[in-house]
Amino acid sequence: MNTQSQAPAVEIRGLTKRFGGTTVVDDLAFRVEPGRVTGFLGPNGAGKSTTMRMILGLDTPTAGRALIGGRPYRALDKPLNVVGALLEAGAVHPGRRARDHLAWLAASNALPAARVGQLLERTGLSSVAGKRVGGFSLGMRQRLGIAAALLGDPPILLFDEPVNGLDPEGVLWIRTLMKSIAAEGRAVLVSSHLMSEMALTADHVIVIGRGRLIADTGMRQFIESAGPGASLEEAYMRMTAQAVDYSADAAAMRTETRGPGR
């Protein structure tokens, strides 16, 4: 596994993003530490996907910084060796075969070709490695996206709704994978709307609403804050009750359609 400096794996400092007159992320600050799974929660439109895109250099902040080991993503010499990400499972040409997709990523990033076969096996895609991605189910596309994220053996993983389209066996598989990755000392940031799954997977939780930080605490402490016998869902609903905004203007709706505003 690649090593990381003593700096936090991911550090968000005063991060702000505006699309026209709409503020999607508003002065956000938090850290994602190695050795644990951090759940990233919030209502639709809260700014989770936009934040992840800024971490990965896909969107430019209006203000603030997103740092990886103390450096912006765009300053990393070999980014796939540092950060692996699954933001959109459909971001693969449908005519490309699964094995060819991973082989192209490996070759273009000077990664060992042997990783392709290893990850096809690890993600359960060996039997369909020669098939075109256009014929894959959503769950199979999710697995391929996870394989691509792991290709560079990175110490940091970012997953946006990774269990979408997975059957119960697949959900258990991704849960086990994320926990095992964190146990190896890596940092995992995962966004999900499945509260029951997050309660079983995440060690720490970051909650945002309307682009602002609502909570940044251990999972157990977050649940206990809602009272005796509360579930994560109950704690989450209580915490975000005032953070759901259904009055977004057309600019916000456009960013939601393309993904980053979730």
Side-chain angles (χ1 to χ4, degrees):
M1 186 188 75
N2 297 324
T3 58
Q4 222 16 30
S5 69
Q6 293 304 306
V10 178
E11 186 171 7
I12 304 302
R13 300 177 181 173
L15 202 62
T16 299
K17 182 63 178 178
R18 299 186 185 94
F19 292 98
T22 301
T23 300
V24 179
V25 177
D26 190 1
D27 196 27
L28 197 59
F30 63 84
R31 305 198 311 187
V32 180
E33 302 286 2
R36 68 188 185 193
V37 178
T38 298
F40 194 26
L41 310 180
N44 283 336
K48 301 187 301 298
S49 292
T50 300
T51 299
M52 285 187 163
R53 289 179 60 86
M54 287 191 284
I55 292 171
L56 295 168
L58 298 173
D59 281 340
T60 301
T62 304
R65 305 186 77 191
L67 303 175
I68 297 167
R71 304 172 66 192
Y73 181 89
R74 292 174 181 174
L76 300 176
D77 296 329
K78 297 180 178 180
L80 289 190
N81 290 113
V82 181
V83 184
L86 170 63
L87 297 191
E88 187 178 348
V92 180
H93 192 285
R96 184 171 289 171
R97 292 177 172 83
R99 181 185 291 108
D100 293 343
H101 173 64
L102 295 180
W104 174 81
L105 284 175
S108 60
N109 289 275
L111 299 173
R115 290 286 292 167
V116 173
Q118 293 168 2
L119 287 166
L120 286 168
E121 180 69 28
R122 185 172 187 180
T123 54
L125 294 175
S126 292
S127 63
V128 295
K131 294 185 180 298
R132 298 186 188 278
V133 177
F136 280 16
S137 66
L138 176 57
M140 292 166 67
R141 288 173 182 253
Q142 291 286 82
R143 287 175 180 263
L144 182 60
I146 291 166
L150 295 172
L151 201 57
D153 196 24
I156 303 168
L157 279 303
L158 274 61
F159 296 132
D160 194 3
E161 303 289 350
V163 299
N164 275 1
L166 295 180
D167 57 18
E169 180 184 2
V171 171
L172 175 59
W173 171 78
I174 186 62
R175 180 199 312 159
T176 304
L177 175 69
M178 288 191 289
K179 292 175 78 69
S180 67
I181 288 171
E184 293 170 352
R186 310 186 199 218
V188 181
L189 179 65
V190 55
S191 166
S192 179
H193 286 102
L194 295 181
M195 295 296 116
S196 59
E197 187 57 31
M198 279 292 90
L200 294 171
T201 305
D203 311 296
H204 195 86
V205 62
I206 293 168
V207 184
I208 65 173
R210 298 184 182 180
R212 297 181 180 179
L213 185 69
I214 296 176
D216 181 356
T217 185
M219 178 62 79
R220 177 179 295 179
Q221 292 89 334
F222 181 71
I223 294 174
E224 290 177 349
S225 70
S231 66
L232 173 59
E233 184 174 13
E234 290 167 335
Y236 170 81
M237 295 300 292
R238 175 177 173 270
M239 192 71 70
T240 61
Q242 303 303 315
V244 179
D245 185 3
Y246 295 109
S247 60
D249 63 13
M253 291 176 69
R254 284 196 296 272
T255 57
E256 183 72 20
T257 299
R258 72 181 180 84
R262 284 206 315 272

